[in-house]
Amino acid sequence: MNDHQTWKQVLEIIKQYEYPVVVVSATANTTRKLIEAANLAAENNLEKAHVIAESIKSRHLDLVHRFLHENPHPKKNLIKESCEKKLNEKTGLLNKLLTYTDKVGELTPQMKDAIASIGEQISSYLLAQCGLATDQLTQFVDARKIIKTDDSYGKANPNFGLISQRINSLETIMDGGFTPVIGGFYGEANDGTITTLGFEGSDYSASLIGGALHAQAIEIWTDVSGVYTSDPRYISKAQPIAELSYYDATEMAFFGSKVLHPSTLKPAQERNIPVWVKNMFKPEDAGTKIVRDAHHNRKALAISFKDDIVLLTVSAYETIMGFNFLTKVFNVLESYRLAVDAVNTTEASVTIALKKPEHLNEITRSFIEIGTVEVEKQKGLISIIGCNFSSSKDFISEIFSTIQNVDLDMISFTKEKNILNIAVPKNDLIATAESIHNQLFG
Ligand code: ASP
Ligand code: MG
């Protein structure tokens, strides 16, 4: 489907609702391109950066022209002109930010957010205009007016109090019979600078707004038919999960399930608002419903996996680790701000699985002060989330019998969260994950 056809489809979906509020992300790949341009500018490759800016502009121009061509409207010229004006304005702004970045020779977090948010600044305005062209009463609202945040650029924390104050302006628009269209992903700090909420931040914006409005439901319309039992791009038999609890869905987001921003469910959960994940290209597919109490009788919820994992084993110099051995290990991790994916301990050692960090050598040297260190690279980590041991008395043997021939590097289990982690050589990762998946989900 072309961009303009996708938007037509999106507008058709919006039409089905009585009082919708629309939160839109950037067109596919635009955020990634914007960040690429920003990085190029920081490396003094300004010309290439401008070329990307120009391509983003022409893609959106093309989108609008085709949309208006296929959906002719008496006000067509007016709509076209206002879209072109907005696109010129935003591309002009983008080019200025890129030139600035080239001059200072580095990409500051603040500048990165200002640039990355342009995709949503553009898409929200243009989608609202395309809505008018199909006689829908859509109205653009700048997300900066609603999504107030702190100034943690790249991963800003929303100011819930201010957001719920600002939400009135949306209610006024809806009372007037209009459908607000807001760009997801970005907001504004106290000092008026643009911030972003992090990767997949549009979902989070939608949930923040839905929560503040006490919406009946929050729906995430994406390009897959829900939250899957595993990543369908790699595991051919992965299937959408019909119902999930907030808790399980949050766990899954954290463990690398692709669809949700880890914070997305919080505002919904607080108000007990159901969250749906639906496929905009296959709206007839059931999708996934996320609610407070979801019951399932499957053997597990899902399987996620990560490649590029390193296993670091630190062994105490003495044969038995002292009482503060683990504290020292975790202090090192904290000082490098490293999130650990799985941990295993023995009497005198600890093994940590984590995404291969940038400064691995430096980190290793810090550990040598605590004990002897062994580093194993090129590992993968499989997490079986929501293990349901009562579903089958042979649960464990079912899993391990399917992967008998794989060299297992580490196994850890947390009862609290019912997550079983298995580290394997990176080259065996997908095949192993697939065997376990098919064993558990049939
Ligand atoms: N465009 C942003 C991203 O890719 C936000 C989103 O799509 O949710 O992270
Ligand atoms: Mg998205």
Side-chain angles (χ1 to χ4, degrees):
M1 223 183 243
N2 287 323
D3 284 342
H4 68 287
Q5 290 163 323
T6 305
W7 279 22
K8 174 77 177 164
Q9 172 78 3
V10 167
L11 287 162
E12 287 297 327
I13 292 167
I14 294 167
K15 242 189 218 166
Q16 325 272 321
Y17 295 84
E18 205 173 3
Y19 295 106
V21 174
V22 179
V23 177
V24 62
S25 67
T27 48
N29 279 326
T30 298
T31 311
R32 199 176 53 75
K33 289 235 167 83
L34 285 163
I35 291 171
E36 189 188 326
N39 285 324
L40 282 167
E43 292 157 12
N44 300 116
N45 231 326
L46 187 59
E47 239 163 79
K48 276 197 186 150
H50 284 320
V51 171
I52 294 179
E54 204 45 49
S55 74
I56 291 173
K57 177 180 166 183
S58 62
R59 172 187 181 176
H60 287 90
L61 268 180
D62 198 47
L63 190 172
V64 171
H65 290 165
R66 285 175 184 228
F67 189 96
L68 293 172
H69 180 75
E70 284 183 21
N71 302 278
H73 190 270
K75 296 241 169 78
K76 184 179 156 173
N77 285 335
L78 229 109
I79 294 172
K80 197 174 102 190
E81 268 167 38
S82 85
C83 288
E84 288 172 353
K85 196 170 148 225
K86 185 59 94 181
L87 268 171
N88 284 332
E89 177 201 316
K90 293 297 174 191
T91 319
L93 170 69
L94 172 58
N95 280 325
K96 258 197 212 154
L97 297 174
L98 292 171
T99 306
Y100 173 87
T101 301
D102 168 71
K103 274 221 181 81
V104 298
E106 66 163 331
L107 182 59
T108 63
Q110 179 181 338
M111 207 40 66
K112 189 173 176 184
D113 276 6
I115 293 173
S117 66
I118 286 181
E120 274 79 5
Q121 293 182 46
I122 291 175
S123 64
S124 50
Y125 186 87
L126 298 190
L127 182 69
Q129 292 295 320
C130 289
L132 295 177
T134 53
D135 280 327
Q136 278 166 269
L137 296 177
T138 39
Q139 185 175 326
F140 163 75
V141 179
D142 192 335
R144 280 177 281 188
K145 296 212 172 93
I146 314 251
I147 303 294
K148 300 292 178 180
T149 71
D150 67 4
D151 61 1
S152 311
Y153 301 105
K155 217 181 171 183
N157 301 295
N159 183 328
F160 294 92
L162 279 180
I163 292 172
S164 71
Q165 278 172 28
R166 297 304 181 96
I167 213 73
N168 291 343
S169 61
L170 293 188
E171 283 166 327
T172 313
I173 292 171
M174 291 196 288
D175 286 343
F178 282 82
T179 298
V181 180
I182 308 154
F185 181 49
Y186 74 100
E188 185 181 81
N190 271 338
D191 62 358
T193 53
I194 289 188
T195 57
T196 68
L197 302 173
F199 183 64
E200 296 295 2
S202 292
D203 300 345
Y204 194 18
S205 302
S207 175
L208 288 166
I209 290 170
L213 280 171
H214 295 255
Q216 263 175 10
I218 294 161
E219 300 183 350
I220 296 167
W221 287 84
T222 178
D223 55 359
V224 288
S225 296
V227 178
Y228 277 65
T229 49
S230 198
D231 188 336
R233 288 173 304 172
Y234 300 97
I235 309 292
S236 60
K237 290 191 178 153
Q239 329 142 14
I241 303 170
E243 209 174 271
L244 274 174
S245 68
Y246 295 120
Y247 177 84
D248 288 335
T250 305
E251 257 342 274
M252 287 176 62
F254 182 73
F255 279 90
S257 152
K258 286 287 177 281
V259 180
L260 298 169
H261 178 295
S263 304
T264 294
L265 294 166
K266 262 190 248 156
Q269 186 169 8
E270 261 161 38
R271 303 238 143 96
N272 202 15
I273 302 171
V275 176
W276 285 89
V277 179
K278 297 270 293 175
N279 189 342
M280 63 180 157
F281 302 111
K282 292 183 183 166
E284 64 288 352
D285 282 3
T288 299
K289 186 185 191 183
I290 305 168
V291 290
R292 182 178 289 166
D293 299 306
H295 299 286
H296 75 89
N297 218 352
R298 287 183 307 272
K299 292 176 184 165
L301 279 171
I303 293 174
S304 71
F305 46 88
K306 294 180 182 168
D307 63 6
D308 230 1
I309 292 284
V310 201
L311 295 178
L312 278 166
T313 301
V314 188
S315 305
Y317 288 123
E318 297 83 32
T319 39
I320 289 181
M321 59 169 125
F323 61 89
N324 62 354
F325 175 75
L326 285 177
T327 315
K328 284 189 202 154
V329 170
F330 283 98
N331 282 344
V332 172
L333 293 170
E334 192 191 345
S335 68
Y336 288 98
R337 307 184 65 88
L338 296 172
V340 175
D341 287 300
V343 188
N344 217 345
T345 56
T346 67
E347 248 169 24
S349 72
V350 56
T351 301
I352 298 154
L354 73 176
K355 186 105 197 146
K356 186 167 172 248
E358 249 176 64
H359 315 288
L360 183 58
N361 288 340
E362 208 181 300
I363 294 164
T364 310
R365 276 198 293 278
S366 309
F367 280 125
I368 290 176
E369 293 176 15
I370 308 170
T372 53
V373 186
E374 195 189 331
V375 183
E376 295 173 89
K377 294 181 214 168
Q378 306 275 332
K379 299 297 176 189
L381 186 72
I382 297 169
S383 302
I384 306 172
I385 304 162
C387 295
N388 183 3
F389 289 96
S390 57
S391 66
S392 146
K393 65 177 182 0
D394 300 323
F395 185 86
I396 290 287
S397 60
E398 274 178 43
I399 292 174
F400 289 102
S401 65
T402 53
I403 54 171
Q404 280 172 26
N405 301 325
V406 185
D407 274 329
L408 304 182
D409 288 298
M410 172 174 128
I411 299 164
S412 77
F413 176 70
T414 44
K415 179 155 190 304
E416 166 83 354
K417 303 207 172 232
N418 280 320
I419 291 171
L420 181 64
N421 289 305
I422 303 174
V424 296
K426 189 176 163 177
N427 291 337
D428 295 327
L429 178 67
I430 305 288
T432 312
E434 185 148 37
S435 315
I436 299 175
H437 179 275
N438 296 350
Q439 172 66 34
L440 292 179
F441 300 106

CSV table of all heavy atoms in Angstrom, one decimal, residues 1-7 25-34 51-67 87 91 119 122-123 126 130 280-281:
chain,number,residue,atom,x,y,z
A,1,MET,N,0.8,-1.2,0.0
A,1,MET,CA,0.0,0.0,0.0
A,1,MET,C,0.9,1.3,0.0
A,1,MET,O,1.9,1.3,0.7
A,1,MET,CB,-0.9,0.0,1.3
A,1,MET,CG,-2.3,0.4,1.0
A,1,MET,SD,-3.2,0.4,2.6
A,1,MET,CE,-4.4,-0.8,2.3
A,2,ASN,N,0.5,2.2,-0.8
A,2,ASN,CA,1.2,3.5,-0.8
A,2,ASN,C,0.8,4.3,0.4
A,2,ASN,O,-0.3,4.1,1.0
A,2,ASN,CB,0.9,4.3,-2.1
A,2,ASN,CG,1.6,3.7,-3.3
A,2,ASN,OD1,2.7,3.2,-3.2
A,2,ASN,ND2,0.9,3.7,-4.4
A,3,ASP,N,1.6,5.3,0.7
A,3,ASP,CA,1.3,6.2,1.9
A,3,ASP,C,-0.1,6.8,1.8
A,3,ASP,O,-0.8,6.7,2.8
A,3,ASP,CB,2.3,7.4,1.8
A,3,ASP,CG,3.7,7.1,2.3
A,3,ASP,OD1,3.8,6.0,3.0
A,3,ASP,OD2,4.6,7.9,2.1
A,4,HIS,N,-0.5,7.3,0.6
A,4,HIS,CA,-1.8,7.9,0.6
A,4,HIS,C,-2.9,6.9,0.7
A,4,HIS,O,-4.0,7.2,1.3
A,4,HIS,CB,-1.9,8.7,-0.7
A,4,HIS,CG,-2.0,7.9,-2.0
A,4,HIS,ND1,-0.9,7.2,-2.5
A,4,HIS,CD2,-3.1,7.6,-2.8
A,4,HIS,CE1,-1.3,6.6,-3.6
A,4,HIS,NE2,-2.6,6.8,-3.8
A,5,GLN,N,-2.7,5.7,0.3
A,5,GLN,CA,-3.7,4.6,0.5
A,5,GLN,C,-3.8,4.3,2.0
A,5,GLN,O,-4.9,4.0,2.5
A,5,GLN,CB,-3.4,3.4,-0.4
A,5,GLN,CG,-3.6,3.7,-1.8
A,5,GLN,CD,-2.9,2.7,-2.7
A,5,GLN,OE1,-1.8,2.2,-2.4
A,5,GLN,NE2,-3.5,2.4,-3.9
A,6,THR,N,-2.6,4.2,2.6
A,6,THR,CA,-2.6,3.9,4.1
A,6,THR,C,-3.4,5.0,4.8
A,6,THR,O,-4.2,4.6,5.7
A,6,THR,CB,-1.2,3.9,4.6
A,6,THR,OG1,-0.4,3.0,3.8
A,6,THR,CG2,-1.1,3.5,6.0
A,7,TRP,N,-3.2,6.2,4.5
A,7,TRP,CA,-3.9,7.3,5.2
A,7,TRP,C,-5.4,7.2,4.9
A,7,TRP,O,-6.2,7.5,5.8
A,7,TRP,CB,-3.3,8.7,4.8
A,7,TRP,CG,-2.1,8.9,5.5
A,7,TRP,CD1,-1.3,8.0,6.1
A,7,TRP,CD2,-1.5,10.2,5.8
A,7,TRP,NE1,-0.3,8.7,6.8
A,7,TRP,CE2,-0.4,10.0,6.6
A,7,TRP,CE3,-1.9,11.5,5.5
A,7,TRP,CZ2,0.4,11.1,7.0
A,7,TRP,CZ3,-1.1,12.6,5.9
A,7,TRP,CH2,0.0,12.4,6.7
A,25,SER,N,1.5,8.7,14.4
A,25,SER,CA,3.0,8.7,14.4
A,25,SER,C,3.5,9.2,13.0
A,25,SER,O,2.7,9.5,12.2
A,25,SER,CB,3.6,7.3,14.8
A,25,SER,OG,3.3,6.4,13.8
A,26,ALA,N,4.7,9.2,12.8
A,26,ALA,CA,5.3,9.6,11.6
A,26,ALA,C,5.0,8.6,10.5
A,26,ALA,O,4.7,7.4,10.8
A,26,ALA,CB,6.8,9.9,11.7
A,27,THR,N,5.1,9.0,9.2
A,27,THR,CA,5.0,8.0,8.2
A,27,THR,C,6.2,7.0,8.3
A,27,THR,O,7.2,7.3,8.9
A,27,THR,CB,5.1,8.7,6.8
A,27,THR,OG1,6.2,9.6,6.8
A,27,THR,CG2,3.8,9.4,6.5
A,28,ALA,N,6.0,5.8,7.8
A,28,ALA,CA,7.0,4.7,8.0
A,28,ALA,C,8.4,5.2,7.7
A,28,ALA,O,8.6,5.8,6.6
A,28,ALA,CB,6.6,3.5,7.1
A,29,ASN,N,9.3,4.9,8.6
A,29,ASN,CA,10.8,5.2,8.4
A,29,ASN,C,11.2,6.7,8.5
A,29,ASN,O,12.4,7.0,8.5
A,29,ASN,CB,11.3,4.7,7.0
A,29,ASN,CG,11.5,3.3,7.0
A,29,ASN,OD1,12.0,2.7,8.1
A,29,ASN,ND2,11.3,2.6,5.9
A,30,THR,N,10.2,7.6,8.6
A,30,THR,CA,10.6,9.0,8.6
A,30,THR,C,11.4,9.3,9.9
A,30,THR,O,12.4,10.1,9.8
A,30,THR,CB,9.4,9.9,8.5
A,30,THR,OG1,8.7,9.6,7.3
A,30,THR,CG2,9.7,11.3,8.6
A,31,THR,N,11.0,8.8,11.0
A,31,THR,CA,11.8,9.1,12.2
A,31,THR,C,13.3,8.7,12.1
A,31,THR,O,14.2,9.4,12.4
A,31,THR,CB,11.2,8.5,13.5
A,31,THR,OG1,9.8,8.8,13.5
A,31,THR,CG2,11.8,9.0,14.8
A,32,ARG,N,13.4,7.5,11.6
A,32,ARG,CA,14.7,6.9,11.4
A,32,ARG,C,15.6,7.8,10.4
A,32,ARG,O,16.7,8.1,10.7
A,32,ARG,CB,14.6,5.5,10.8
A,32,ARG,CG,15.9,4.6,11.0
A,32,ARG,CD,15.6,3.2,10.5
A,32,ARG,NE,15.1,3.1,9.2
A,32,ARG,CZ,15.8,3.3,8.1
A,32,ARG,NH1,17.1,3.6,8.2
A,32,ARG,NH2,15.3,3.3,6.9
A,33,LYS,N,14.9,8.2,9.3
A,33,LYS,CA,15.6,9.1,8.4
A,33,LYS,C,16.0,10.4,9.0
A,33,LYS,O,17.1,10.9,8.7
A,33,LYS,CB,14.7,9.4,7.2
A,33,LYS,CG,14.5,8.1,6.3
A,33,LYS,CD,14.8,8.5,4.8
A,33,LYS,CE,14.9,7.3,4.0
A,33,LYS,NZ,13.6,6.8,3.5
A,34,LEU,N,15.1,11.0,9.8
A,34,LEU,CA,15.4,12.2,10.5
A,34,LEU,C,16.7,12.1,11.4
A,34,LEU,O,17.5,13.0,11.3
A,34,LEU,CB,14.2,12.7,11.3
A,34,LEU,CG,13.0,13.2,10.5
A,34,LEU,CD1,11.8,13.3,11.3
A,34,LEU,CD2,13.4,14.6,9.9
A,51,VAL,N,19.9,16.5,1.7
A,51,VAL,CA,19.3,15.6,0.7
A,51,VAL,C,18.2,14.8,1.4
A,51,VAL,O,17.0,14.6,0.8
A,51,VAL,CB,20.3,14.7,0.0
A,51,VAL,CG1,19.6,13.6,-0.8
A,51,VAL,CG2,21.3,15.5,-0.8
A,52,ILE,N,18.4,14.3,2.6
A,52,ILE,CA,17.4,13.5,3.3
A,52,ILE,C,16.2,14.4,3.6
A,52,ILE,O,15.0,14.0,3.4
A,52,ILE,CB,18.0,12.9,4.6
A,52,ILE,CG1,19.0,11.8,4.2
A,52,ILE,CG2,16.9,12.2,5.4
A,52,ILE,CD1,19.7,11.1,5.4
A,53,ALA,N,16.5,15.6,4.1
A,53,ALA,CA,15.4,16.5,4.4
A,53,ALA,C,14.5,16.8,3.2
A,53,ALA,O,13.3,16.7,3.3
A,53,ALA,CB,16.0,17.9,4.9
A,54,GLU,N,15.2,16.9,2.0
A,54,GLU,CA,14.5,17.2,0.8
A,54,GLU,C,13.6,15.9,0.4
A,54,GLU,O,12.5,16.1,0.0
A,54,GLU,CB,15.5,17.5,-0.3
A,54,GLU,CG,14.9,18.3,-1.5
A,54,GLU,CD,14.1,19.5,-1.0
A,54,GLU,OE1,14.5,20.3,-0.1
A,54,GLU,OE2,13.0,19.6,-1.6
A,55,SER,N,14.2,14.7,0.7
A,55,SER,CA,13.4,13.5,0.3
A,55,SER,C,12.2,13.4,1.2
A,55,SER,O,11.1,12.9,0.8
A,55,SER,CB,14.3,12.3,0.3
A,55,SER,OG,14.6,11.9,1.7
A,56,ILE,N,12.3,13.8,2.5
A,56,ILE,CA,11.2,13.7,3.4
A,56,ILE,C,10.1,14.6,2.9
A,56,ILE,O,8.9,14.3,2.8
A,56,ILE,CB,11.6,14.0,4.8
A,56,ILE,CG1,12.5,12.9,5.3
A,56,ILE,CG2,10.4,14.2,5.7
A,56,ILE,CD1,13.1,13.1,6.7
A,57,LYS,N,10.5,15.8,2.5
A,57,LYS,CA,9.5,16.8,2.0
A,57,LYS,C,8.8,16.3,0.8
A,57,LYS,O,7.6,16.3,0.7
A,57,LYS,CB,10.2,18.1,1.7
A,57,LYS,CG,9.3,19.2,1.1
A,57,LYS,CD,10.1,20.4,0.8
A,57,LYS,CE,9.3,21.4,0.0
A,57,LYS,NZ,10.1,22.6,-0.4
A,58,SER,N,9.6,15.7,-0.2
A,58,SER,CA,8.9,15.4,-1.5
A,58,SER,C,8.0,14.1,-1.3
A,58,SER,O,7.0,14.0,-1.9
A,58,SER,CB,9.9,15.2,-2.6
A,58,SER,OG,10.8,14.1,-2.3
A,59,ARG,N,8.4,13.2,-0.4
A,59,ARG,CA,7.6,12.1,-0.1
A,59,ARG,C,6.2,12.6,0.4
A,59,ARG,O,5.2,12.1,0.0
A,59,ARG,CB,8.2,11.2,1.0
A,59,ARG,CG,7.3,10.1,1.5
A,59,ARG,CD,7.9,9.4,2.6
A,59,ARG,NE,7.0,8.3,3.0
A,59,ARG,CZ,7.4,7.4,4.0
A,59,ARG,NH1,8.5,7.5,4.6
A,59,ARG,NH2,6.5,6.5,4.4
A,60,HIS,N,6.2,13.6,1.3
A,60,HIS,CA,4.9,14.0,1.9
A,60,HIS,C,4.1,14.8,0.9
A,60,HIS,O,2.9,14.8,0.9
A,60,HIS,CB,5.2,14.8,3.2
A,60,HIS,CG,5.6,13.8,4.3
A,60,HIS,ND1,6.9,13.5,4.6
A,60,HIS,CD2,4.8,13.2,5.2
A,60,HIS,CE1,6.9,12.7,5.6
A,60,HIS,NE2,5.6,12.4,6.0
A,61,LEU,N,4.9,15.6,0.1
A,61,LEU,CA,4.2,16.3,-1.0
A,61,LEU,C,3.4,15.4,-1.9
A,61,LEU,O,2.3,15.6,-2.3
A,61,LEU,CB,5.2,17.1,-1.8
A,61,LEU,CG,5.5,18.6,-1.5
A,61,LEU,CD1,6.5,19.1,-2.4
A,61,LEU,CD2,4.2,19.4,-1.4
A,62,ASP,N,4.2,14.3,-2.3
A,62,ASP,CA,3.6,13.3,-3.1
A,62,ASP,C,2.4,12.7,-2.5
A,62,ASP,O,1.3,12.4,-3.1
A,62,ASP,CB,4.7,12.3,-3.3
A,62,ASP,CG,4.4,11.4,-4.5
A,62,ASP,OD1,4.1,12.0,-5.6
A,62,ASP,OD2,4.6,10.2,-4.4
A,63,LEU,N,2.5,12.4,-1.2
A,63,LEU,CA,1.4,11.8,-0.5
A,63,LEU,C,0.1,12.7,-0.6
A,63,LEU,O,-1.0,12.2,-0.9
A,63,LEU,CB,1.8,11.6,1.0
A,63,LEU,CG,1.0,10.8,2.0
A,63,LEU,CD1,1.7,10.7,3.3
A,63,LEU,CD2,-0.4,11.4,2.3
A,64,VAL,N,0.3,13.9,-0.3
A,64,VAL,CA,-0.8,14.9,-0.3
A,64,VAL,C,-1.4,15.0,-1.7
A,64,VAL,O,-2.6,14.9,-1.9
A,64,VAL,CB,-0.4,16.3,0.2
A,64,VAL,CG1,-1.5,17.3,0.0
A,64,VAL,CG2,-0.1,16.2,1.7
A,65,HIS,N,-0.5,15.1,-2.7
A,65,HIS,CA,-1.0,15.3,-4.1
A,65,HIS,C,-1.8,14.0,-4.5
A,65,HIS,O,-2.9,14.2,-5.1
A,65,HIS,CB,0.1,15.5,-5.1
A,65,HIS,CG,0.8,16.9,-4.9
A,65,HIS,ND1,2.0,17.2,-5.4
A,65,HIS,CD2,0.3,17.9,-4.2
A,65,HIS,CE1,2.3,18.5,-5.0
A,65,HIS,NE2,1.3,18.9,-4.3
A,66,ARG,N,-1.3,12.9,-4.2
A,66,ARG,CA,-2.0,11.6,-4.6
A,66,ARG,C,-3.3,11.5,-3.9
A,66,ARG,O,-4.3,11.1,-4.4
A,66,ARG,CB,-1.1,10.4,-4.4
A,66,ARG,CG,0.0,10.3,-5.4
A,66,ARG,CD,0.8,9.1,-4.9
A,66,ARG,NE,1.9,8.8,-5.7
A,66,ARG,CZ,2.3,7.6,-6.2
A,66,ARG,NH1,1.5,6.6,-5.9
A,66,ARG,NH2,3.3,7.5,-6.9
A,67,PHE,N,-3.2,11.8,-2.6
A,67,PHE,CA,-4.5,11.7,-1.8
A,67,PHE,C,-5.6,12.6,-2.4
A,67,PHE,O,-6.7,12.2,-2.5
A,67,PHE,CB,-4.2,12.1,-0.3
A,67,PHE,CG,-5.3,11.8,0.6
A,67,PHE,CD1,-5.3,10.6,1.3
A,67,PHE,CD2,-6.4,12.6,0.7
A,67,PHE,CE1,-6.4,10.3,2.2
A,67,PHE,CE2,-7.5,12.3,1.6
A,67,PHE,CZ,-7.5,11.1,2.3
A,87,LEU,N,4.6,22.1,4.9
A,87,LEU,CA,5.7,21.3,4.5
A,87,LEU,C,7.0,22.2,4.3
A,87,LEU,O,8.1,21.9,4.7
A,87,LEU,CB,5.5,20.5,3.3
A,87,LEU,CG,4.9,19.1,3.6
A,87,LEU,CD1,4.5,18.5,2.3
A,87,LEU,CD2,6.0,18.3,4.3
A,91,THR,N,10.2,21.9,6.7
A,91,THR,CA,11.5,21.5,6.0
A,91,THR,C,12.5,22.6,6.3
A,91,THR,O,13.7,22.4,6.5
A,91,THR,CB,11.3,21.3,4.5
A,91,THR,OG1,10.1,20.5,4.3
A,91,THR,CG2,12.5,20.5,3.9
A,119,GLY,N,8.8,14.4,12.0
A,119,GLY,CA,8.0,13.5,11.3
A,119,GLY,C,6.5,13.5,11.8
A,119,GLY,O,5.6,13.5,11.0
A,122,ILE,N,4.8,16.9,11.1
A,122,ILE,CA,4.3,16.9,9.7
A,122,ILE,C,3.0,16.0,9.5
A,122,ILE,O,2.0,16.4,9.0
A,122,ILE,CB,5.4,16.5,8.7
A,122,ILE,CG1,6.5,17.5,8.6
A,122,ILE,CG2,4.8,16.3,7.3
A,122,ILE,CD1,7.6,17.1,7.7
A,123,SER,N,3.1,14.8,10.0
A,123,SER,CA,2.1,13.8,9.7
A,123,SER,C,0.8,14.2,10.4
A,123,SER,O,-0.3,14.1,9.8
A,123,SER,CB,2.5,12.4,10.2
A,123,SER,OG,2.6,12.4,11.6
A,126,LEU,N,-0.8,17.1,8.2
A,126,LEU,CA,-1.3,16.6,6.9
A,126,LEU,C,-2.4,15.7,7.0
A,126,LEU,O,-3.4,15.7,6.2
A,126,LEU,CB,-0.1,16.0,6.1
A,126,LEU,CG,1.1,16.8,5.8
A,126,LEU,CD1,2.0,16.1,4.8
A,126,LEU,CD2,0.8,18.2,5.2
A,130,CYS,N,-6.0,15.9,5.2
A,130,CYS,CA,-6.6,14.9,4.3
A,130,CYS,C,-7.9,14.5,4.9
A,130,CYS,O,-8.8,14.1,4.1
A,130,CYS,CB,-5.6,13.7,4.3
A,130,CYS,SG,-4.1,14.0,3.3
A,280,MET,N,-4.0,-2.1,11.2
A,280,MET,CA,-4.7,-1.2,10.3
A,280,MET,C,-4.9,-1.7,8.9
A,280,MET,O,-5.8,-1.3,8.2
A,280,MET,CB,-4.1,0.2,10.3
A,280,MET,CG,-2.7,0.2,9.7
A,280,MET,SD,-2.1,2.0,9.8
A,280,MET,CE,-0.4,1.7,9.7
A,281,PHE,N,-4.0,-2.6,8.5
A,281,PHE,CA,-4.2,-3.2,7.1
A,281,PHE,C,-5.2,-4.4,7.1
A,281,PHE,O,-5.6,-4.8,6.1
A,281,PHE,CB,-2.8,-3.6,6.6
A,281,PHE,CG,-1.9,-2.5,6.5
A,281,PHE,CD1,-0.8,-2.4,7.4
A,281,PHE,CD2,-2.1,-1.4,5.7
A,281,PHE,CE1,0.1,-1.3,7.3
A,281,PHE,CE2,-1.3,-0.3,5.6
A,281,PHE,CZ,-0.1,-0.3,6.4
